[in-house]
Amino acid sequence: AQTVTQSQPEMSVQEAETVTLSCTYDTSESDYYLFWYKQPPSRQMILVIRQEAYKQQNATENRFSVNFQKAAKSFSLKISDSQLGDAAMYFCAYDNNDMRFGAGTRLTVKP
Amino acid sequence: DVKVTQSSRYLVKRTGEKVFLECVQDMDHENMFWYRQDPGLGLRLIYFSYDVKMKEKGDIPEGYSVSREKKERFSLILESASTNQTSMYLCASSWTGKRLNEQFFGPGTRLTVL
């Protein structure tokens, strides 16, 4: 079974600074999808960014970008110009018709 | 916008009670999922359904059952609640096929079993 590992249970960043959240996964498949989801305190989980494994170009969504290293099975999320509203639990997920989530990283943003 | 709603945000039940958690989505999604979320464990799949009246076990189905009588509604049933089922329960839905498989989540139900 595929596993997803987020090695940082908690991270902290100063407002306006940049932070990178790590994610690694284990798979023998070549075609799959990777996601980062954000779960703000007491609010609904929402999709932040997604990446198709066959695309070499790293996905970007405004201040959010990923560093996708397929050979290393690594999928990190970079948040630039961090804002107070970025404070949340972040979950990395792998999907190949069977979505798997990591344990999550709690991000704190300091004013 | 896709909307996934869950019947309760907070629920407190007694050991042995039968508990129903309901989820409704309004985007005609084929797939629906029930997860439980626990600190340090992330989201674990309990059951999912890819069509009306169809269901598949996830990773932790023991102590749970599900029902999908209509496409928009997916219910999670705890037949006899136990304290180890105290958790956050998340419902999600998605389209079938190559739409990047994004799942849309409900707000969650925090269940406490006393």
Side-chain angles (χ1 to χ4, degrees):
Chain A
Q2 292 83 7
T3 59
V4 180
T5 302
Q6 293 179 247
S7 58
Q8 306 151 316
E10 295 183 352
M11 290 286 284
S12 179
V13 64
Q14 204 70 35
E15 196 175 5
E17 297 293 310
T18 296
V19 65
T20 298
L21 308 185
S22 301
C23 174
T24 58
Y25 56 95
D26 180 31
T27 185
S28 57
E29 304 293 333
S30 59
D31 188 18
Y32 49 87
Y33 303 105
L34 296 164
F35 302 85
W36 279 98
Y37 283 91
K38 171 185 177 181
Q39 187 182 42
S42 301
R43 292 181 64 186
Q44 220 140 333
M45 184 149 9
I46 57 173
L47 179 67
V48 174
I49 198 166
R50 63 187 132 197
Q51 174 85 39
E52 295 158 272
Y54 69 86
K55 288 188 177 179
Q56 292 188 341
Q57 186 174 6
N58 289 326
T60 61
E61 288 286 343
N62 301 312
R63 296 183 295 108
F64 298 87
S65 61
V66 297
N67 183 5
F68 173 46
Q69 301 288 329
K70 192 171 184 179
K73 298 178 185 176
S74 171
F75 183 61
S76 60
L77 175 70
K78 185 171 84 170
I79 306 174
S80 303
D81 186 25
S82 297
Q83 300 176 359
L84 295 178
D86 294 334
M89 281 290 288
Y90 286 83
F91 291 96
C92 176
Y94 162 101
D95 191 14
N96 180 22
N97 294 319
D98 181 16
M99 190 169 282
R100 299 282 169 170
F101 290 84
T105 297
R106 183 175 301 281
L107 178 66
T108 303
V109 182
K110 297 179 180 177
Chain B
D1 282 350
V2 174
K3 195 166 185 181
V4 182
T5 57
Q6 294 183 228
S7 50
S8 305
R9 290 300 301 271
Y10 300 93
L11 210 52
V12 180
K13 295 293 182 180
R14 298 246 176 233
T15 301
E17 281 192 80
K18 192 168 185 176
V19 182
F20 294 86
L21 303 182
E22 293 207 325
C23 174
V24 177
Q25 49 93 6
D26 66 358
M27 277 300 291
D28 203 36
H29 285 170
E30 294 87 0
N31 303 323
M32 297 189 75
F33 308 83
W34 275 107
Y35 295 92
R36 64 177 282 175
Q37 180 183 357
D38 298 290
L41 297 177
L43 278 68
R44 292 180 292 166
L45 183 64
I46 304 171
Y47 268 98
F48 68 98
S49 168
Y50 53 87
D51 201 354
V52 176
K53 297 191 185 294
M54 305 302 290
K55 60 184 179 183
E56 295 284 341
K57 291 180 180 179
D59 297 320
I60 51 165
E62 297 78 18
Y64 303 94
S65 62
V66 291
S67 172
R68 193 162 180 205
E69 296 296 318
K70 293 184 178 181
K71 191 174 185 180
E72 67 271 17
R73 188 180 298 270
F74 192 35
S75 301
L76 179 69
I77 304 151
L78 285 66
E79 297 290 342
S80 177
S82 63
T83 55
N84 63 12
Q85 292 178 311
T86 291
S87 187
M88 170 71 87
Y89 290 87
L90 297 178
C91 174
S93 67
S94 71
W95 285 287
T96 291
K98 294 294 184 182
R99 291 180 187 252
L100 297 190
N101 301 0
E102 175 186 356
Q103 292 188 12
F104 296 85
F105 286 85
T109 296
R110 187 167 293 283
L111 173 67
T112 302
V113 183
L114 302 176

